[in-house]
Amino acid sequence: MAAVLRRGSVLRLRLPAPVWLPLRGGGRAICSSAPRHGDSECFTPTLSARLAGLSYPELQQMSREDPDTFWGSIAQERLSWTKPFERVQDCDLDKGQVRWFLGGRLNVSVNCLDVHAQTHPERVALIWERDEPGTEVKVTYRELLESTCRLANALRSHGVLKGDRVAIYMPVSPLAVAAMLACARIGAVHTVVFAGFSSEALAGRIQDAQCKVVVTCNQAVRGGRAIDLKTTVDAAVRTCSSVKHVFVAQRTSSPAPKGDLDVPLEEAMGRESADCPPEPMDSEDPLFMLYTSGSTGKPKGIVHTQAGYLLYAALTHQCVFGYRPGDVFGCMADIGWITGHSYVVYGPLCNGATSVLFESTPTYPDPGRYWEVVERLGINQFYGAPTALRLLLKYDESWVTRYDRSSLRTLGSETGGVCIAPHPAEDGAPIVPAMAMRPFYGVEPVLLGDKGECLQGPGVRGALCIKKAWPGLARTIYGDHQRYLDAYFKPYPGHYFTGDGAWRSEDGFYQITGRTDDVINISGHRLGTAEIEDALDEHPAVPEAAVIGVPHSIKGEVPFAFLVLKDGEQTQEVILKELRLLVATKIAKYAIPDHFLVVKRLPKTRSGKIMRRILRTVAGALGDTSTLDDPSVVTEIIAAHARYKEEQKKKKKSS
């Protein structure tokens, strides 16, 4: 029997072979994988013929000391090139210069579709797990290639050229994947915007990218309800003069409002040929851009290019998750995030895998949805967002145990391009719960101090930086390369700065401690808010917690904890007393929050990130809230904060 147990910030599932799932890791950690039930040892993939037979330590050493041979041999064999590359890399992190596979030309859609459609046309490429359970749709590589070519020809017929930008505002669906691959086929640059962002957020991204076309649907279906997308697009494009056409697909039978720019997508595709000659692209041509709101305001378009990104997504998909031919790979991320790009679309399809497209929510129609899908589809690798898994911790474990999960070999928490993970590793290597652990091939992490000094040895913590470029590294911020340099290379010259802090264990493993801008200075003690949150999360009554620093006249700063509590028999007073003891025991007395505020929900972006700047400014100007999943949560927190302040005043008067 399998059971879900709460243990700190770790969700543990007991399966025929045990697997561990870290729920916290700064967006860069992934869990271990375990052997298939009945297998005698872990699966070690062959990276290339030239590297065959090398042990894990030998591969790690070569990836760092001879990256040209390591990456060059893999790229040469695993990717289909129209023109071979002449030089493996030209990288200089002092200048923020990152270039891989120079002189080479290829087409990403060919590598994701044509090479597999030629050899295994009826292999299932996508399983579309639609909102209603039991209504999944399977799409073969032949069918996906045909849809992609028709959509690509439709874009070309409406004036989309190589280098033009295309915004995709669609629910998770095979047609959305085809839209991404169609852009790749003709050399257009796609920017996928989560189909849930407001019209203002969508317009800001379209304007910054100067998109020529928007591809959307009449509606999205999620959690049993229909969400109008076309009305949002119409409101957005009114302020976007660059948009010439809006392609509209039909997800539901509900008619969409008509606009002057509209082109019915299915009709346009029906008029086009199922053959579309691919555009040869330079290795360093842009493939896509993704916008992040960051912590302070203006969205920034992170640019990824062709060959290096594709190779890294495919290699991490295979090696980190333990993917084998014939597996069903289930990443639950939306395609609007980098995780969806890398581990729903590009990585799995480049490897010829069967990838699950999850349209619904983890709690629809009930909290057992994930595990019901695992049983019904026979998923071998499951990759989910930490925020979704924390949500499920609120529910009884019977929602898990009632389903057969014996097909699972790997469980992971969400990331976009894995840099540090428990796997790959030597056979029998230890796996530590909730720890990122080992750098991936070619990734050389270092911990740097406040003055930029390299912190050597075990038991140290500092800013997590990477000292050499790897193929999957983003190349620039669209239209603002200086911002890219300032954000990622200026803080620690000669290094790529991840933005995270980390701790190196006695065994040399890495643990992400949280964003470095989420650090509190308490009487001279620098402490990451994530460390306090981890301690609070260990209490069984606390499914979620967020900690910020607030000014203090003597200590400089003190922690302020926002808590979401489960309904239970314990009173708040008892829980808070236990939380103070827990933080003191796990960290130190000085780390105990001076303030605890119990709220119903925490403000989050649609990707699940807690918006701490909202928490810091609940009593003042809130700034940009367009990326909030549910803006009403802010009103709730402001009201709760006001009640808390009133209670504090009463306590002071009574004392």
Side-chain angles (χ1 to χ4, degrees), residues 28 463-466 487-489 491-492 495-501 516:
R28 288 172 176 79
L464 178 62
C465 298
I466 299 176
Y488 302 112
F489 299 98
Y492 298 93
H495 299 81
Y496 171 82
F497 175 44
T498 65
D500 285 328
T516 56

Side-chain angles (χ1 to χ4, degrees), residues 97-319:
Q97 176 180 294
V98 181
R99 299 191 297 173
W100 285 85
F101 310 118
L102 286 76
R105 298 179 75 80
L106 79 173
N107 187 277
V108 166
S109 78
V110 169
N111 280 272
C112 291
L113 297 176
D114 300 55
V115 295
H116 309 302
Q118 290 167 6
T119 55
H120 304 284
E122 301 310 310
R123 177 185 293 170
V124 175
L126 304 173
I127 302 177
W128 184 20
E129 175 60 21
R130 298 197 295 181
D131 195 52
E132 288 300 323
T135 63
E136 71 271 13
V137 175
K138 296 182 178 180
V139 181
T140 66
Y141 274 92
R142 175 184 56 80
E143 293 168 331
L144 184 56
L145 174 60
E146 179 178 327
S147 296
T148 296
C149 286
R150 291 186 186 278
L151 208 160
N153 283 329
L155 291 174
R156 273 180 171 164
S157 297
H158 287 78
V160 178
L161 305 174
K162 176 181 176 180
D164 286 341
R165 275 78 61 205
V166 174
I168 300 173
Y169 187 75
M170 304 179 79
V172 177
S173 63
L175 200 55
V177 175
M180 297 167 68
L181 293 168
C183 291
R185 197 165 191 88
I186 65 175
V189 181
H190 65 71
T191 178
V192 181
V193 181
F194 173 68
F197 273 171
S198 67
S199 59
E200 293 84 359
L202 175 60
R205 287 151 175 79
I206 294 173
Q207 291 165 355
D208 187 78
Q210 286 294 288
C211 293
K212 199 172 189 177
V213 161
V214 179
V215 185
T216 190
C217 290
N218 64 328
Q219 292 182 315
V221 181
R222 189 170 172 86
R225 61 191 182 95
I227 304 160
D228 289 330
L229 300 186
K230 180 56 166 46
T231 52
T232 301
V233 171
D234 287 345
V237 298
R238 290 192 192 105
T239 60
C240 302
S241 59
S242 63
V243 175
K244 306 304 179 188
H245 301 287
V246 176
F247 287 89
V248 186
Q250 292 293 126
R251 171 61 184 92
T252 68
S253 59
S254 177
K258 301 292 184 181
D260 295 337
L261 304 178
D262 291 1
V263 177
L265 181 57
E266 289 90 348
E267 292 180 20
M269 291 172 62
R271 294 191 295 266
E272 298 294 342
S273 167
D275 178 53
C276 177
E279 184 74 29
M281 304 296 292
D282 186 86
S283 293
E284 285 298 320
D285 282 337
L287 173 62
F288 66 85
M289 62 178 77
L290 266 176
Y291 281 87
T292 173
S293 60
S295 59
T296 55
K298 185 178 183 290
K300 53 186 179 183
I302 302 295
V303 176
H304 281 279
T305 53
Q306 310 272 333
Y309 167 80
L310 182 65
L311 183 70
Y312 197 81
L315 196 66
T316 51
H317 170 256
Q318 180 185 16
C319 297

